[in-house]
């Protein structure tokens, strides 16, 4: 069955439930479609969040100290960085205050000097008790590194408790001297068994000198994080002490504990109240089914823990043991990070941060008059010293960099470096990796919308129909400058907003008529040819919005200065169109099918507008508008406006208002400046509604101010002029950041299309990596070779742009069937019907070029020059096997030898596809303290195989630097 773009949008945004993410039993209702797990990611990964270590330490940068209006001290660090010499220089700033740390990126302009005051103003810090002064002393780097480390540890320690069948108290569980064979198999899956005495890696609080905490333990490295497991059966056992205090001392002080419970499912269920601990906030209950050789997982989290992913599949049964290991470790790491945001831990962290900042401020105060603190131009933040700089300044900068490099090297040797991910060698295909849709696109794209497999693009040369690398077909000439466009295939409509000052209007076309003109190669239409397609009363419109989410009636809201005009399409009688169209063909222009409902006056002209569907499809629909310093919601029926959010900022740049439906109730993601706020819109009551703060509301800040936001559940993608920032919808946690030079979003209603600068050189091929293997011996993890990046353009040269597509099905993890016939392709393509198809099974027309689908592995370079290390001095690694085109032979897998003195898990860090997702019913929680996630459905459920990923021109892979997309 074919689905419309509006249904794609519903799938993209999704009706979701927070209980999928972590704390209550999954709903038993199966979700529609074929779902595939795409969201197994570490949240807020340190290699993207620890900015000071990554971008500042060991480089020339400036640090400032000051007092805000409340006389509270703050520190500011600023640097100018160029992402791997991609000609995308940008300022990075970190503000340390007692309330926490704030990080932003600001664009660099060679003709405009950026001042400290303007940077602080961008961070909403406009008033000072004392103006900021620069700190020249190089030792300040060590103190600022300590401040950054307050965000949390890079390494983790998790408890592992063995529970026999029928054991109901923690005394019984802690008194088990040895574990079963299934438990030993589970430990072997988790990591390597190591000898504690003489151990030099991360020890997780265990004794590595005198064997007072046991002789052995289990240790692994996952995506750059060292993990030590406190295994109950490996900790000291005392026959005289029934409470086993020594074991409880370690496991009871772990934030996250794994409980491995033997026995069949009908046996007494585990409850968090069985374990007496004021510190443990998350329990992961693991059961092993020996008959079916699978693992079942259930998560219990304390009610104050924020949502954390990934959501459990339904049923939560893992037949692939490596997939289970990856899922479990990611879930536990994300869970511990989420726990640190609970009031208990957050208050302690803030107190510690406040104490450190005040102590550092007091230490620096005596040097105020000793030339240690001074005022100077911020332009000195440039990496190169000015030619007029004195030798003394050059020597100071050299000493500053040398001390920073030494601190960085010390952190790496100590194992606390967030950039250690460079050694993890993860070669995982990410769902947001794009495909080249059209190479060397010669026009400036304004907006676009997909039409079948093609793309209808408004450019500076007119409106073009683009389909892969086929020649573009003009549809409208440049006399009709289109600024907004919607292709509604199921309604046979094309809606355009041609914006040219006061003459701006809304145009509606019958899509079949446009298709006929394209097929017949008729003359290209201009503005004069579209007079009959103008919608009346829309003259002077500067914005419009349509509803595309689970609604039977098409609604259009047109903004004309401060007035909103509500337009709907007239209802046709059932079967009327089908029966009458055979006798009397429909008129070419569908203007007569639209009717004007009402006009709503606002207090100002809206900059952002979104339609929100009400729960009953009657008269409870909303319009969210943004103007001045506020977001309002307007009742379509009454025109009554309600304040949704007031923006406390001097300057406001409204970006988007995205409607998200949680448990069937509408919510809104409000995006402006650097901020994104989630607001729940409460149900209607007698024609009115209530917008009030609720527990599910949350707020986060983008690292760089975006100009567009796309919601592709479970992800939020923020687009700037040179980067793409990806976060999770449910909690705003960062997942990935990639630098994309000259990035411009053009379409996002279904698949995401954007243009970006094309790279000049190909990425060098990496090696191959070993597949997942058993834990034989410690092994150096694989890595990748350094890619070749394009050089700077010469004078007079222009860099070509490509048009790229991120398939919606890759992001949302489901197979989407939509009309696949392109207006440019006469032969219809049959959509896939098997639910077992992988993501690579995207239907391809005969015009699809294999070369545009080729995968290019992108590996980011480490900042080894800052550490003074040669390429041979760093950790060696192997590249992953890289898919080639059919004309090429695949590289042979190269073997990596063990690295002496280091124990690492040899299991692959590859995350494979999960099982089919469907929520399950909530389980009652008699204690009221913990909630659980899991499913009690039939464990023997059909599961999808591992995804066979389609070839892509580049990969956005995890790295120690932000990834640079090689757009070839």
């Amino acid at each position: 069955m074919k689905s419309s773009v509006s249904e794609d949008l519903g799938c993209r945004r999704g009706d979701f439930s927070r209980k999928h993410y972590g704390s209550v039993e999954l709903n038993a209702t199966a979700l529609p479609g074929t779902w595939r797990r795409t969201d197994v990611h570490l949240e807020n990964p340190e290699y993207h969040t620890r900015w000071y270590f990554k971008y500042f330490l060991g480089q020339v940068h400036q640090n400032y100290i000051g007092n805000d209006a409340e006389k509270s001290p703050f520190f500011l660090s600023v640097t100018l960085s160029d992402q791997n010499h991609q000609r995308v220089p940008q300022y990075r700033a970190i503000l340390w205050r007692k309330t926490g740390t704030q990080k932003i990126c600001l664009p660099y302009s060679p003709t405009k000097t950026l001042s400290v005051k303007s940077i602080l103003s961008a961070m909403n810090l406009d008033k000072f008790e004392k103006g900021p002064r620069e700190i020249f002393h190089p030792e300040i780097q060590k103190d600022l590194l300590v401040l950054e480390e307050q965000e949390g540890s890079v390494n983790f320690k998790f408890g592992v408790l063995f529970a026999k069948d029928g054991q109901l108290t923690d005394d019984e569980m802690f008194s088990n001297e040895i574990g079963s064979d299934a438990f030993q198999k589970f430990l072997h899956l988790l990591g390597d068994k190591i000898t504690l005495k003489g151990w030099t890696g991360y020890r997780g609080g265990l004794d590595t000198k005198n064997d007072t905490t046991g002789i052995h333990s289990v240790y692994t490295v996952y995506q750059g994080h060292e993990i030590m497991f406190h295994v109950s059966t490996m900790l000291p056992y005392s026959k005289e002490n029934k409470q086993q205090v020594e074991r409880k001392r370690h496991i009871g002080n772990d934030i996250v504990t794994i409980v491995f419970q033997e026995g069949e499912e009908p046996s007494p269920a585990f409850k968090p109240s069985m374990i007496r601990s004021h510190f443990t906030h998350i329990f992961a209950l693991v059961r092993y089914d020996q008959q079916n050789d699978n693992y079942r997982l259930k998560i219990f989290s304390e009610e104050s823990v924020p949502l954390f992913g990934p959501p459990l599949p339904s049923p939560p049964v893992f037949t692939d043991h490596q997939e289970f290991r990856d899922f479990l470790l990611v879930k536990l790491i994300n869970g511990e990070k989420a726990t640190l945001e609970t009031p208990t831990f957050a208050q302690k962290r803030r107190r510690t941060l406040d104490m450190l900042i005040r102590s550092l401020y007091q230490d620096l105060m005596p040097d105020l008059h000793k030339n240690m603190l001074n005022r100077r131009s911020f332009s000195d933040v440039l990496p190169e010293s000015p030619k007029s700089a004195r030798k003394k300044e050059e020597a100071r900068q050299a000493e500053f960099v040398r001390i920073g490099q030494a601190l960085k090297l010390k952190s790496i040797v100590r194992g606390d470096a967030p950039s250690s991910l460079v050694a993890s060698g993860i070669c995982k295909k990410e769902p947001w990796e794009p495909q080249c849709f059209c190479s060397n696109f010669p026009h400036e794209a304004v907006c676009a919308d997909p039409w079948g497999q093609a793309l209808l693009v408004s450019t500076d040369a007119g409106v073009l129909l683009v389909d892969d690398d086929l020649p573009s077909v003009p549809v409208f000439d440049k006399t009709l400058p289109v600024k907004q466009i919607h292709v509604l295939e199921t309604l046979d409509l094309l809606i355009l907003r041609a914006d040219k000052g006061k003459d701006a209007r809304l145009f509606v076309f019958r899509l079949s008529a446009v298709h006929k003109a394209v097929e017949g190669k008729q003359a290209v239409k201009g503005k004069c040819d579209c007079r009959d397609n103008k919608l009346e009363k829309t003259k002077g419109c500067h914005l419009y919005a349509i509803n595309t989410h689970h609604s039977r009636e098409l609604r259009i809201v047109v903004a004309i200065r401060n007035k909103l005009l509500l337009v709907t399409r007239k209802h046709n009688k059932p079967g009327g169109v089908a029966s009458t169209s055979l006798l009397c063909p429909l008129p070419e222009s569908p203007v007569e099918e639209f009717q004007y409902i009402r006009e709503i006056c606002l207090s100002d002209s809206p900059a952002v507008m979104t339609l929100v569907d009400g729960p009953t499809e009657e008269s409870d629909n909303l319009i969210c508008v943004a103007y001045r310093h506020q977001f309002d919601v307007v009742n379509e029926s009454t025109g009554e406006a309600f304040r949704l959010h007031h923006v406390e900022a001097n300057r406001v740049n409204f970006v988007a208002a995205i409607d998200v439906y949680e448990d069937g109730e509408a919510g809104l993601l409000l995006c402006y400046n650097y901020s994104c706020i989630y607001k729940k819109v409460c149900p209607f009551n007698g024609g009115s509604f209530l917008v009030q703060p609720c527990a599910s509301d949350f707020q986060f800040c983008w690292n760089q101010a975006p100009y567009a936001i796309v919601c592709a559940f479970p992800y939020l993608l923020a687009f700037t002029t040179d980067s793409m920032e990806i976060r999770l919808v449910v909690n705003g946690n960062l997942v990935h950041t990639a630098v994309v030079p000259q990035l411009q979003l053009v379409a996002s209603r279904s698949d995401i299309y954007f243009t970006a600068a094309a790279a000049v050189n190909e990425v060098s091929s990496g090696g191959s990596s070993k597949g997942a293997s058993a834990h034989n011996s410690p092994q150096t993890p694989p890595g990748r070779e350094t890619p070749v990046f394009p050089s700077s353009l010469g004078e007079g040269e222009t860099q070509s742009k490509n048009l790229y597509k991120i398939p919606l099905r890759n992001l949302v993890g489901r197979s989407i069937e939509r009309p696949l016939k392109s207006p440019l392709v006469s032969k219809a393509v049959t959509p896939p019907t098997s639910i077992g198809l992988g993501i690579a099974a995207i239907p391809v027309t005969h015009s699809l070029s294999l070369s545009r689908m080729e995968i290019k592995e992108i590996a980011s370079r480490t900042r080894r020059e800052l550490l003074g290390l040669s390429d041979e001095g760093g950790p060696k690694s192997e590249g992953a096997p890289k898919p080639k085109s059919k004309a090429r032979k695949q590289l042979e897998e190269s073997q990596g030898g063990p690295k002496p003195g280091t124990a690492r898990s040899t299991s692959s860090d590859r995350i494979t596809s999960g099982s089919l997702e469907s929520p399950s019913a909530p389980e009652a929680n008699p204690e009221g303290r913990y909630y659980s996630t899991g499913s009690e459905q039939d464990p023997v459920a059909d599961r999808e195989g591992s995804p066979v990923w389609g070839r892509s021109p580049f990969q956005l892979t995890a790295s120690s630097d932000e990834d640079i997309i090689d757009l070839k």
Side-chain angles (χ1 to χ4, degrees), residues 16-18 21 43 307-309 696 698 713-714 728-733:
F16 74 97
S17 176
R18 290 185 169 233
Y21 276 81
E43 300 173 13
L307 298 181
F308 61 94
S696 60
F698 64 90
F713 192 83
L728 296 179
V729 174
V730 294
N731 52 23
N733 286 345

Side-chain angles (χ1 to χ4, degrees), residues 355-587:
M355 180 187 66
L356 291 173
I357 291 175
R358 291 185 180 277
S359 175
L360 182 57
Y361 180 80
Q362 292 173 0
D363 292 342
L364 294 174
M365 284 301 292
D367 296 316
L368 277 171
H369 305 290
K370 295 181 181 179
N371 294 326
M372 177 182 169
L373 301 178
N374 202 351
R375 298 178 184 269
R376 67 169 180 170
S377 172
F378 180 71
S379 60
D380 291 336
V381 76
L382 296 176
E384 299 84 17
S385 299
K387 294 181 179 179
S388 60
R390 296 172 298 178
K391 291 184 178 180
K392 183 177 179 181
E393 173 65 13
E394 293 177 354
R396 186 198 69 80
Q397 288 189 359
E399 178 67 8
F400 189 91
V401 171
R402 186 193 66 80
I403 291 179
Q405 290 176 352
L407 288 169
K408 199 166 194 176
L409 182 60
K410 186 177 180 181
S411 295
I412 292 175
V413 173
R414 193 171 64 240
D416 293 334
S419 62
S420 57
L421 179 71
V422 73
S424 65
I426 299 169
C427 301
K428 184 184 71 167
K429 185 80 174 180
E430 298 292 4
W432 46 79
E433 292 181 23
Q435 304 166 357
C436 184
F437 184 74
C438 179
S439 58
N440 297 320
F441 191 67
H443 307 288
E444 285 294 326
V446 179
C447 60
D449 207 29
W451 184 0
Q453 280 189 327
L455 188 69
L456 197 61
V457 189
S458 172
T459 69
D460 52 352
V463 178
L464 307 175
L465 193 59
V466 182
D467 189 2
D468 276 331
D469 288 324
L470 291 177
S472 299
V473 176
V475 180
F476 300 100
D477 63 23
K478 61 182 180 182
T479 62
L480 194 70
V482 175
K483 301 300 182 182
Q484 276 183 272
I485 184 169
H486 282 85
V487 177
L488 307 178
E489 295 178 73
T490 55
L491 300 180
D492 193 28
L493 288 177
L494 171 62
I495 304 176
L496 308 175
R497 176 175 65 86
D499 198 355
K500 197 173 181 181
K502 295 181 180 179
D503 294 331
R505 285 184 183 272
L506 228 60
F507 295 80
V508 290
F509 301 85
R510 204 170 299 284
L511 201 59
S512 55
V514 178
H515 188 188
K516 183 178 179 181
V518 171
E519 282 187 333
K521 298 183 179 180
Q522 300 177 9
V524 179
K525 287 188 176 183
K527 185 176 181 180
C528 296
D529 303 317
C530 303
R531 294 173 181 173
D532 295 336
N533 299 92
K534 294 179 181 179
L535 270 184
E536 297 180 7
K537 300 184 180 181
T538 61
K539 184 177 180 180
C541 65
H542 67 277
L543 186 67
Y544 79 91
I546 69 173
N547 67 314
T548 53
H549 187 65
H550 301 311
S551 183
R552 301 171 185 173
E553 180 185 51
L554 174 65
R555 308 193 321 276
I556 306 176
V557 175
V558 185
I560 307 172
R561 294 180 293 277
N562 67 326
K563 294 182 180 179
L564 300 183
L565 187 65
L566 178 60
V567 182
T568 63
R569 196 184 188 197
K570 298 176 183 178
H571 287 288
N572 292 312
K573 294 181 180 180
V577 174
S579 58
T580 59
S581 61
L582 298 176
L583 302 176
C584 53
L586 294 173

Side-chain angles (χ1 to χ4, degrees), residues 258-299:
I258 303 170
V259 178
F260 185 90
Q261 189 172 35
E262 283 194 323
E264 300 299 327
E265 199 63 32
S267 61
F270 171 83
K271 297 178 182 178
S273 58
M274 297 177 181
I275 310 296
R276 290 168 291 180
S277 172
H278 297 290
F279 202 78
T280 305
H281 283 62
I282 296 171
F283 291 96
L285 180 64
V286 176
R287 288 179 181 269
Y288 176 68
D289 184 348
Q290 190 169 3
Q291 182 177 359
N292 297 311
D293 191 28
N294 59 39
Y295 287 95
R296 177 178 286 266
L297 178 64
K298 196 171 186 178
I299 301 294

Side-chain angles (χ1 to χ4, degrees), residues 12 495 514 658 748 856 883 916 944:
R12 176 163 64 80
I495 304 176
V514 178
I658 302 172
S748 62
K856 295 295 183 182
L916 303 181
E944 292 186 1

Side-chain angles (χ1 to χ4, degrees), residues 508-780:
V508 290
F509 301 85
R510 204 170 299 284
L511 201 59
S512 55
V514 178
H515 188 188
K516 183 178 179 181
V518 171
E519 282 187 333
K521 298 183 179 180
Q522 300 177 9
V524 179
K525 287 188 176 183
K527 185 176 181 180
C528 296
D529 303 317
C530 303
R531 294 173 181 173
D532 295 336
N533 299 92
K534 294 179 181 179
L535 270 184
E536 297 180 7
K537 300 184 180 181
T538 61
K539 184 177 180 180
C541 65
H542 67 277
L543 186 67
Y544 79 91
I546 69 173
N547 67 314
T548 53
H549 187 65
H550 301 311
S551 183
R552 301 171 185 173
E553 180 185 51
L554 174 65
R555 308 193 321 276
I556 306 176
V557 175
V558 185
I560 307 172
R561 294 180 293 277
N562 67 326
K563 294 182 180 179
L564 300 183
L565 187 65
L566 178 60
V567 182
T568 63
R569 196 184 188 197
K570 298 176 183 178
H571 287 288
N572 292 312
K573 294 181 180 180
V577 174
S579 58
T580 59
S581 61
L582 298 176
L583 302 176
C584 53
L586 294 173
E588 184 175 338
S589 175
V591 170
E592 298 299 327
E593 299 176 11
F594 290 86
Q595 58 185 352
Y596 305 94
I597 305 301
R598 67 179 54 85
E599 190 177 273
I600 300 173
C601 290
L602 303 176
S603 59
D604 206 341
S605 177
V608 168
M609 187 165 58
T610 300
L611 304 191
V612 183
D613 291 335
T616 62
E617 293 188 1
E618 293 179 355
S619 59
D620 49 9
N621 298 315
L622 303 177
I623 309 170
C624 179
V625 292
Y627 48 78
R628 293 180 179 172
H629 284 68
Q630 65 199 53
F631 287 89
D632 286 354
V633 283
V634 181
N635 191 318
E636 280 188 11
S637 301
T638 64
E640 189 177 4
F642 298 83
R643 179 69 53 84
L644 184 62
H645 179 70
H646 180 75
V647 179
E648 299 290 343
N650 293 333
R651 295 181 180 179
V652 184
N653 177 35
F654 293 110
V655 181
I658 302 172
D659 53 327
V660 179
Y661 298 86
E662 178 183 343
D663 292 325
E665 296 181 1
L668 283 162
L669 285 166
L670 311 177
C671 304
Y672 60 92
N673 296 354
Y674 289 87
S675 300
C676 188
I677 298 176
Y678 177 79
K679 289 283 187 179
K680 194 76 169 286
V681 180
C682 297
F684 290 79
N685 184 13
S688 63
F689 59 94
L690 185 62
V691 179
Q692 62 181 6
C694 71
S696 60
D697 292 353
F698 64 90
Q699 179 177 0
F700 65 89
C701 290
W702 303 100
N703 291 331
Q704 193 168 350
Y707 65 80
I709 305 291
V710 176
C711 179
F713 192 83
Y715 304 107
L716 276 178
L717 292 83
F719 291 82
T720 72
T721 55
D722 51 33
S723 71
M724 189 189 307
E725 188 173 334
I726 303 167
R727 294 177 179 265
L728 296 179
V729 174
V730 294
N731 52 23
N733 286 345
L734 180 67
V735 172
H736 190 84
T737 304
V739 172
V740 190
Q742 302 180 42
L743 172 64
Q744 182 182 2
L745 177 69
V746 295
S748 62
R749 281 205 313 127
S750 55
D751 294 338
I752 298 173
Y753 294 84
F754 63 89
T755 59
V760 178
N761 301 318
E762 286 193 14
V763 179
S764 58
S765 300
S768 59
S769 66
K770 296 179 66 175
S773 60
H775 295 266
N776 297 322
S777 61
Q779 178 184 358
T780 303

